[in-house]
Amino acid sequence: MIPPRRGRNPCGGQFPVLFLQITASFSGSSWAIPSSAASFETLQCERPVSSQDSSCHTDEDLTGPREVDFQLKGYTFSQPFHLIVSYDWLILQSPAKPIFEGDPLVLRCQAWQDWPLTQVTFYRDGSALGPPGPNREFSIAVAQETDSGNYHCSGVFRSPGPGSPETASSVAIIVQELFPAPALRATPSTEPQEGGPVTLSCQTKLPLQRSATRLLFSFYKDSKTVRSRGLSSEFQILTASEAHSGSYWCEAATEDNQVWKQSPKLEIRVQGTRPPSASPDGCSSQTNARCESSPWSPAHGAEGLVWPPKA
């Protein structure tokens, strides 16, 4: 058992630092637990961030039954990490963090005490992903949601192993959606008046775990690009004309273009300026005053419509 590291208590004395970040490194990759009972994992505590107003609390101030004896104000601790120890000839190690589409996916078939293996085979949902071979790792350069499934591996131990085929327990791998297909929205409407502004918004959302990911947005009209790969999710038409009418859609993509998705098409119909409407007697809204003074206007009564006028 690895003893806890100790640090200095701001209130005097020593305190145990029991918040640990657990990592297992193989070929530069970080792997999730379960871990082989015969392998050694690294327990590493990130250094605390000190502050001048750090203070400690005794166990009388703590309400949780499993909390440690001291807590430090102004220190940053890692998230809890769940450790599962497997006692088996083979285990399948998978990435510790959630996997999103576009991420690389690397799986490792880990042998007891790292004994040499031959005829290693990886499976997804019971189907072999390739012929048996010496490679203990299986990788997918750009994971997709369709790569989700139950994975396991098998292999044959060389001496001093059992010399017979062994199979690891399956591990559920879920490749999550990085962002949904965008939706294109028009403001103020899809039928704006000629001469007015129109704003097209390409709307989608990243998960909280990947909120720092930058997306680039492109806009298209009738199979032509009207704006290519910009950080803004909006495209503005300052003065709409009938020439701006057409079928629009947008695309959201990661900077490396590994994940890109398009919106459904949106029809925009710019309404032209309408001519003044005329009444049945030939008068229009612009000539009402003149029409009202005309002897042929219905405002003068039915007599004004008789020809020739009565004597």
Side-chain angles (χ1 to χ4, degrees), residues 64-76:
R66 295 185 178 181
E67 291 187 287
V68 297
D69 292 338
F70 296 96
Q71 289 184 333
L72 293 179
K73 181 181 179 181
Y75 277 68
T76 301

Side-chain angles (χ1 to χ4, degrees), residues 34 90-94 107-109 122 151-153 168-169 171:
L90 281 180
I91 62 169
L92 183 67
Q93 293 175 322
S94 61
L107 304 176
R108 180 180 174 89
C109 197
F122 290 86
Y151 288 78
H152 75 275
C153 65
S169 299
V171 175

Side-chain angles (χ1 to χ4, degrees), residues 80-122:
F81 199 101
H82 300 282
L83 174 65
I84 301 174
V85 178
S86 299
Y87 192 84
D88 209 342
W89 289 110
L90 281 180
I91 62 169
L92 183 67
Q93 293 175 322
S94 61
K97 297 180 180 180
I99 306 168
F100 290 91
E101 54 184 346
D103 290 348
L105 173 59
V106 181
L107 304 176
R108 180 180 174 89
C109 197
Q110 177 67 19
W112 170 269
Q113 294 188 345
D114 206 26
W115 284 346
L117 288 172
T118 61
Q119 301 183 40
V120 179
T121 308
F122 290 86

